[in-house]
Amino acid sequence: MHNPTITQPDRLISVREVFGIATELKVHAFAEREDHVPEVDPAYRFNPDVTLALLAGFERDRRVMVQGLHGTGKSSHIEQVAARLNWPCVRVNLDGHISRLDLVGKDAVVLRDGQQVTEFQEGIVPWALQRPVALIFDEYDAGRPDVMFVIQRILERDGKFTLMDQNRVIHPHRSFRLFATANTVGLGNLSGLYHGAQRLNHAQIDRWNIVASLNYLPRDEEVAIVQARVPGLADRSLVEAMVAVAELTRRGFAAGDLSTLMSPRTVISWAENVEIFRDPALAFRLTFVNKFD
Protein backbone atom coordinates (compact mmCIF):
# COMPACT_ATOMS: atom_id res chain seq x y z
CA MET A 1 0.00 0.00 0.00
CA HIS A 2 1.30 3.44 -0.96
CA ASN A 3 2.37 5.70 1.89
CA PRO A 4 0.01 8.73 1.62
CA THR A 5 2.77 11.06 2.87
CA ILE A 6 4.92 10.26 -0.21
CA THR A 7 3.48 12.59 -2.83
CA GLN A 8 6.57 12.95 -5.06
CA PRO A 9 8.43 10.26 -7.04
CA ASP A 10 11.26 9.25 -4.74
CA ARG A 11 13.63 7.12 -6.83
CA LEU A 12 15.41 7.16 -10.20
CA ILE A 13 15.12 4.30 -12.68
CA SER A 14 17.01 3.54 -15.90
CA VAL A 15 14.87 3.71 -19.07
CA ARG A 16 17.21 1.19 -20.71
CA GLU A 17 16.80 -1.38 -17.92
CA VAL A 18 13.06 -0.98 -17.34
CA PHE A 19 11.74 -0.33 -20.86
CA GLY A 20 14.49 -1.85 -23.04
CA ILE A 21 15.12 1.38 -25.00
CA ALA A 22 18.68 2.24 -26.05
CA THR A 23 19.11 5.49 -24.12
CA GLU A 24 20.96 6.67 -21.04
CA LEU A 25 17.91 8.55 -19.74
CA LYS A 26 16.79 8.11 -16.16
CA VAL A 27 13.31 9.04 -14.92
CA HIS A 28 11.70 9.42 -11.51
CA ALA A 29 9.33 6.80 -10.15
CA PHE A 30 7.55 5.99 -6.90
CA ALA A 31 9.28 3.38 -4.76
CA GLU A 32 6.00 1.91 -3.45
CA ARG A 33 2.82 0.78 -5.21
CA GLU A 34 -0.69 1.79 -4.20
CA ASP A 35 -4.21 0.69 -5.13
CA HIS A 36 -4.54 2.90 -8.23
CA VAL A 37 -1.27 1.71 -9.83
CA PRO A 38 -2.04 -0.61 -12.82
CA GLU A 39 -0.80 -4.19 -12.77
CA VAL A 40 2.44 -4.85 -14.68
CA ASP A 41 1.95 -6.92 -17.85
CA PRO A 42 5.29 -8.70 -18.39
CA ALA A 43 4.34 -9.57 -22.00
CA TYR A 44 3.78 -5.97 -23.05
CA ARG A 45 5.94 -4.62 -25.90
CA PHE A 46 6.80 -0.92 -25.78
CA ASN A 47 6.97 1.31 -28.84
CA PRO A 48 10.21 3.32 -28.27
CA ASP A 49 8.98 6.69 -29.63
CA VAL A 50 5.63 6.57 -27.81
CA THR A 51 7.31 5.37 -24.61
CA LEU A 52 9.77 8.27 -24.66
CA ALA A 53 6.87 10.69 -25.28
CA LEU A 54 4.96 9.28 -22.31
CA LEU A 55 8.04 9.35 -20.09
CA ALA A 56 8.46 13.04 -20.99
CA GLY A 57 4.88 13.50 -19.85
CA PHE A 58 5.54 11.86 -16.49
CA GLU A 59 8.99 13.38 -15.91
CA ARG A 60 8.44 16.92 -17.26
CA ASP A 61 4.68 17.31 -16.71
CA ARG A 62 3.86 17.52 -20.43
CA ARG A 63 0.30 16.96 -21.65
CA VAL A 64 0.55 13.91 -23.96
CA MET A 65 -2.05 12.62 -26.41
CA VAL A 66 -1.60 9.18 -28.02
CA GLN A 67 -3.30 8.87 -31.41
CA GLY A 68 -3.76 5.78 -33.55
CA LEU A 69 -6.11 3.16 -34.98
CA HIS A 70 -8.16 0.94 -32.69
CA GLY A 71 -6.52 -2.08 -31.10
CA THR A 72 -2.98 -0.67 -31.15
CA GLY A 73 -2.89 -0.53 -27.33
CA LYS A 74 -2.93 3.24 -26.75
CA SER A 75 -4.49 3.15 -23.27
CA SER A 76 -2.54 0.02 -22.35
CA HIS A 77 0.69 1.78 -23.33
CA ILE A 78 0.07 4.63 -20.89
CA GLU A 79 -1.01 2.21 -18.17
CA GLN A 80 2.04 -0.03 -18.61
CA VAL A 81 4.42 2.94 -18.41
CA ALA A 82 2.59 4.08 -15.24
CA ALA A 83 2.75 0.52 -13.85
CA ARG A 84 6.55 0.47 -14.13
CA LEU A 85 6.81 3.91 -12.53
CA ASN A 86 4.38 2.90 -9.73
CA TRP A 87 2.40 6.00 -10.69
CA PRO A 88 -1.29 5.96 -9.66
CA CYS A 89 -3.49 6.02 -12.74
CA VAL A 90 -7.22 6.69 -13.37
CA ARG A 91 -8.96 6.20 -16.73
CA VAL A 92 -12.10 8.12 -17.76
CA ASN A 93 -13.91 7.09 -20.93
CA LEU A 94 -15.39 10.18 -22.59
CA ASP A 95 -18.47 8.44 -23.93
CA GLY A 96 -21.70 10.30 -24.69
CA HIS A 97 -23.01 9.76 -21.16
CA ILE A 98 -20.16 11.58 -19.41
CA SER A 99 -21.44 15.01 -18.46
CA ARG A 100 -19.90 18.23 -17.16
CA LEU A 101 -21.27 17.37 -13.68
CA ASP A 102 -19.45 14.01 -13.72
CA LEU A 103 -16.15 15.79 -14.36
CA VAL A 104 -16.60 18.86 -12.15
CA GLY A 105 -18.89 17.63 -9.36
CA LYS A 106 -22.41 18.30 -8.12
CA ASP A 107 -24.49 18.82 -5.00
CA ALA A 108 -25.72 15.59 -3.45
CA VAL A 109 -27.93 14.72 -0.48
CA VAL A 110 -26.01 12.79 2.22
CA LEU A 111 -26.67 11.69 5.80
CA ARG A 112 -24.76 13.54 8.55
CA ASP A 113 -25.54 12.55 12.15
CA GLY A 114 -28.89 11.17 11.06
CA GLN A 115 -29.79 14.36 9.20
CA GLN A 116 -30.12 14.77 5.46
CA VAL A 117 -27.84 17.56 4.26
CA THR A 118 -26.81 18.81 0.85
CA GLU A 119 -23.10 18.98 0.18
CA PHE A 120 -20.87 19.31 -2.86
CA GLN A 121 -19.25 16.11 -4.12
CA GLU A 122 -16.17 16.59 -6.26
CA GLY A 123 -16.04 15.12 -9.75
CA ILE A 124 -13.10 13.13 -11.11
CA VAL A 125 -11.19 16.20 -12.38
CA PRO A 126 -10.87 18.12 -9.06
CA TRP A 127 -10.30 14.82 -7.23
CA ALA A 128 -7.39 13.84 -9.49
CA LEU A 129 -5.94 17.37 -9.69
CA GLN A 130 -5.25 17.36 -5.96
CA ARG A 131 -3.42 14.01 -5.95
CA PRO A 132 -0.29 12.39 -7.43
CA VAL A 133 -2.36 10.75 -10.16
CA ALA A 134 -2.09 10.28 -13.93
CA LEU A 135 -5.53 11.05 -15.36
CA ILE A 136 -6.21 9.42 -18.76
CA PHE A 137 -9.06 10.60 -20.98
CA ASP A 138 -9.94 7.66 -23.24
CA GLU A 139 -11.74 8.20 -26.55
CA TYR A 140 -10.89 11.88 -26.28
CA ASP A 141 -12.34 12.66 -29.70
CA ALA A 142 -15.75 11.24 -28.69
CA GLY A 143 -16.29 13.82 -25.94
CA ARG A 144 -19.23 16.24 -26.14
CA PRO A 145 -18.34 19.91 -26.76
CA ASP A 146 -19.61 21.09 -23.34
CA VAL A 147 -17.44 18.45 -21.67
CA MET A 148 -14.35 19.31 -23.73
CA PHE A 149 -14.38 22.94 -22.62
CA VAL A 150 -14.19 21.78 -18.98
CA ILE A 151 -11.01 19.86 -19.85
CA GLN A 152 -9.59 22.84 -21.73
CA ARG A 153 -9.11 24.68 -18.43
CA ILE A 154 -6.65 22.14 -17.04
CA LEU A 155 -4.66 21.99 -20.28
CA GLU A 156 -3.21 25.44 -19.59
CA ARG A 157 0.38 25.66 -18.37
CA ASP A 158 -0.54 26.35 -14.72
CA GLY A 159 -3.60 24.06 -14.97
CA LYS A 160 -5.59 25.88 -12.27
CA PHE A 161 -9.20 24.77 -12.04
CA THR A 162 -12.00 27.00 -10.72
CA LEU A 163 -14.96 25.39 -8.97
CA MET A 164 -17.70 27.95 -9.59
CA ASP A 165 -20.13 26.34 -7.12
CA GLN A 166 -17.54 26.50 -4.35
CA ASN A 167 -15.84 29.83 -5.16
CA ARG A 168 -12.61 27.86 -4.95
CA VAL A 169 -9.54 27.64 -7.18
CA ILE A 170 -7.74 24.27 -7.23
CA HIS A 171 -4.03 24.29 -7.95
CA PRO A 172 -2.79 21.02 -9.47
CA HIS A 173 -0.66 18.70 -7.35
CA ARG A 174 3.01 18.66 -8.38
CA SER A 175 2.69 15.00 -9.38
CA PHE A 176 -0.61 15.30 -11.26
CA ARG A 177 -0.25 14.23 -14.93
CA LEU A 178 -2.70 14.36 -17.84
CA PHE A 179 -2.92 12.02 -20.85
CA ALA A 180 -5.45 11.26 -23.59
CA THR A 181 -6.03 8.67 -26.31
CA ALA A 182 -7.81 9.32 -29.62
CA ASN A 183 -8.46 7.60 -32.93
CA THR A 184 -8.71 10.68 -35.12
CA VAL A 185 -6.78 13.66 -33.61
CA GLY A 186 -10.01 15.64 -33.56
CA LEU A 187 -10.61 15.59 -37.32
CA GLY A 188 -13.91 13.71 -37.10
CA ASN A 189 -15.04 10.46 -38.71
CA LEU A 190 -13.21 10.93 -42.03
CA SER A 191 -12.66 7.22 -42.73
CA GLY A 192 -16.17 6.14 -41.72
CA LEU A 193 -14.60 3.77 -39.18
CA TYR A 194 -15.17 5.78 -35.99
CA HIS A 195 -18.82 6.76 -35.66
CA GLY A 196 -19.33 9.16 -32.77
CA ALA A 197 -15.92 10.81 -33.18
CA GLN A 198 -16.29 14.59 -32.98
CA ARG A 199 -14.45 17.35 -34.80
CA LEU A 200 -12.56 19.07 -32.01
CA ASN A 201 -11.80 22.75 -31.56
CA HIS A 202 -8.28 23.34 -32.89
CA ALA A 203 -7.49 25.52 -29.85
CA GLN A 204 -8.20 22.42 -27.76
CA ILE A 205 -5.78 20.20 -29.72
CA ASP A 206 -3.18 22.98 -29.73
CA ARG A 207 -2.97 22.83 -25.93
CA TRP A 208 -1.55 19.31 -25.95
CA ASN A 209 2.25 19.59 -25.65
CA ILE A 210 3.02 16.23 -27.29
CA VAL A 211 1.00 14.13 -29.75
CA ALA A 212 2.43 10.61 -30.21
CA SER A 213 1.27 8.29 -33.00
CA LEU A 214 0.95 4.59 -32.19
CA ASN A 215 0.70 2.37 -35.26
CA TYR A 216 0.57 -1.39 -35.65
CA LEU A 217 3.73 -3.26 -34.70
CA PRO A 218 6.21 -4.94 -37.05
CA ARG A 219 5.23 -8.53 -37.87
CA ASP A 220 7.81 -10.23 -35.61
CA GLU A 221 6.78 -8.15 -32.59
CA GLU A 222 3.08 -8.76 -33.19
CA VAL A 223 3.74 -12.51 -33.46
CA ALA A 224 5.67 -12.38 -30.16
CA ILE A 225 2.77 -10.57 -28.46
CA VAL A 226 0.18 -13.07 -29.70
CA GLN A 227 2.34 -15.97 -28.51
CA ALA A 228 2.85 -14.30 -25.12
CA ARG A 229 -0.91 -13.70 -24.75
CA VAL A 230 -1.91 -17.20 -25.95
CA PRO A 231 0.96 -19.48 -24.87
CA GLY A 232 -1.17 -22.57 -25.56
CA LEU A 233 -0.91 -21.87 -29.30
CA ALA A 234 2.64 -23.18 -29.75
CA ASP A 235 2.65 -23.38 -33.57
CA ARG A 236 4.66 -20.27 -34.50
CA SER A 237 4.14 -20.76 -38.25
CA LEU A 238 0.36 -20.65 -37.70
CA VAL A 239 0.65 -17.44 -35.65
CA GLU A 240 2.86 -15.89 -38.35
CA ALA A 241 0.25 -16.78 -40.99
CA MET A 242 -2.51 -15.25 -38.85
CA VAL A 243 -0.56 -11.99 -38.46
CA ALA A 244 0.12 -11.99 -42.23
CA VAL A 245 -3.64 -12.24 -42.86
CA ALA A 246 -4.19 -9.32 -40.45
CA GLU A 247 -1.65 -7.25 -42.41
CA LEU A 248 -3.53 -8.02 -45.64
CA THR A 249 -6.78 -6.71 -44.11
CA ARG A 250 -4.99 -3.50 -43.07
CA ARG A 251 -3.66 -2.98 -46.59
CA GLY A 252 -7.12 -3.73 -48.01
CA PHE A 253 -8.67 -1.18 -45.66
CA ALA A 254 -6.07 1.45 -46.59
CA ALA A 255 -6.82 0.85 -50.28
CA GLY A 256 -10.58 1.10 -49.71
CA ASP A 257 -11.26 -2.57 -50.57
CA LEU A 258 -12.40 -3.56 -47.05
CA SER A 259 -14.72 -1.77 -44.66
CA THR A 260 -12.88 -2.93 -41.53
CA LEU A 261 -9.52 -4.35 -40.52
CA MET A 262 -7.96 -6.75 -38.04
CA SER A 263 -6.35 -5.04 -35.08
CA PRO A 264 -3.81 -6.84 -32.85
CA ARG A 265 -6.68 -7.26 -30.36
CA THR A 266 -8.64 -9.14 -33.05
CA VAL A 267 -5.64 -11.37 -33.84
CA ILE A 268 -5.32 -12.26 -30.14
CA SER A 269 -9.07 -13.09 -30.03
CA TRP A 270 -8.61 -15.25 -33.15
CA ALA A 271 -5.72 -17.11 -31.48
CA GLU A 272 -7.79 -17.66 -28.32
CA ASN A 273 -10.67 -18.99 -30.41
CA VAL A 274 -8.30 -21.33 -32.28
CA GLU A 275 -7.44 -22.78 -28.86
CA ILE A 276 -11.15 -23.29 -28.15
CA PHE A 277 -12.35 -24.64 -31.52
CA ARG A 278 -9.11 -26.26 -32.78
CA ASP A 279 -9.99 -24.97 -36.25
CA PRO A 280 -8.29 -21.78 -37.55
CA ALA A 281 -10.85 -21.30 -40.36
CA LEU A 282 -13.89 -21.59 -38.05
CA ALA A 283 -12.22 -19.34 -35.49
CA PHE A 284 -11.47 -16.80 -38.24
CA ARG A 285 -15.12 -16.70 -39.31
CA LEU A 286 -16.37 -16.34 -35.74
CA THR A 287 -13.77 -13.69 -34.82
CA PHE A 288 -13.64 -11.52 -37.92
CA VAL A 289 -15.58 -12.53 -41.04
CA ASN A 290 -19.00 -12.36 -39.36
CA LYS A 291 -18.39 -8.67 -38.52
CA PHE A 292 -18.88 -7.87 -42.22
CA ASP A 293 -22.37 -7.27 -43.60
Side-chain angles (χ1 to χ4, degrees):
M1 183 70 180
H2 179 63
N3 184 343
T5 61
I6 300 175
T7 59
Q8 296 294 314
D10 47 352
R11 70 184 179 111
L12 272 176
I13 63 169
S14 162
V15 174
R16 183 191 296 272
E17 290 176 13
V18 176
F19 297 97
I21 299 172
T23 177
E24 299 308 313
L25 284 174
K26 295 186 184 298
V27 295
H28 286 87
F30 288 97
E32 298 177 37
R33 296 178 65 80
E34 65 110 90
D35 293 343
H36 288 98
V37 176
E39 292 297 321
V40 172
D41 178 0
Y44 194 82
R45 296 290 180 113
F46 289 95
N47 176 294
D49 290 348
V50 176
T51 302
L52 290 174
L54 293 172
L55 289 173
F58 281 105
E59 182 70 11
R60 299 296 182 92
D61 192 15
R62 310 300 282 166
R63 307 300 195 224
V64 183
M65 176 187 286
V66 183
Q67 174 269 333
L69 291 169
H70 62 285
T72 50
K74 299 180 292 296
S75 305
S76 304
H77 210 303
I78 302 170
E79 283 190 325
Q80 287 307 307
V81 171
R84 284 156 176 80
L85 300 179
N86 285 337
W87 210 295
C89 195
V90 176
R91 280 172 64 176
V92 177
N93 196 308
L94 291 182
D95 58 52
H97 296 290
I98 287 285
S99 69
R100 182 183 178 281
L101 294 177
D102 293 322
L103 295 184
V104 177
K106 55 193 171 186
D107 289 327
V109 177
V110 296
L111 281 175
R112 286 271 181 270
D113 301 322
Q115 299 290 318
Q116 284 190 346
V117 296
T118 301
E119 68 177 38
F120 182 78
Q121 291 191 335
E122 291 178 343
I124 189 65
V125 169
W127 179 88
L129 266 174
Q130 300 170 78
R131 290 166 172 77
V133 164
L135 180 60
I136 305 171
F137 287 120
D138 269 337
E139 312 301 342
Y140 188 74
D141 47 0
R144 291 172 9 202
D146 59 320
V147 170
M148 304 314 287
F149 282 111
V150 171
I151 297 168
Q152 191 157 314
R153 297 188 226 163
I154 58 174
L155 287 171
E156 303 291 350
R157 180 171 291 276
D158 58 4
K160 288 186 292 189
F161 190 77
T162 304
L163 282 174
M164 303 289 191
D165 303 334
Q166 301 288 294
N167 296 323
R168 185 159 63 99
V169 177
I170 296 175
H171 294 263
H173 190 283
R174 284 178 60 193
S175 296
F176 170 75
R177 299 293 184 265
L178 188 63
F179 300 92
T181 67
N183 294 125
T184 66
V185 211
L187 298 177
N189 185 29
L190 297 177
S191 67
L193 198 60
Y194 300 114
H195 297 290
Q198 312 274 358
R199 289 184 67 87
L200 295 182
N201 186 322
H202 184 71
Q204 171 95 225
I205 297 296
D206 199 43
R207 283 170 164 81
W208 290 91
N209 306 126
I210 298 173
V211 177
S213 182
L214 185 59
N215 293 311
Y216 295 125
L217 294 164
R219 183 181 297 188
D220 288 346
E221 290 190 42
E222 192 168 342
V223 168
I225 287 174
V226 174
Q227 288 195 300
R229 285 278 187 276
V230 194
L233 198 63
D235 185 351
R236 182 179 174 86
S237 61
L238 174 60
V239 177
E240 287 176 345
M242 292 164 70
V243 171
V245 169
E247 288 179 339
L248 287 173
T249 69
R250 293 164 198 168
R251 285 185 212 140
F253 175 79
D257 297 329
L258 291 178
S259 60
T260 188
L261 51 76
M262 292 188 79
S263 69
R265 185 190 298 131
T266 310
V267 180
I268 291 169
S269 295
W270 183 13
E272 290 169 341
N273 289 337
V274 169
E275 263 199 313
I276 296 169
F277 299 108
R278 304 293 177 186
D279 182 345
L282 173 61
F284 181 62
R285 290 196 297 275
L286 296 174
T287 308
F288 182 64
V289 175
N290 291 342
K291 291 177 181 176
F292 288 93
D293 60 15

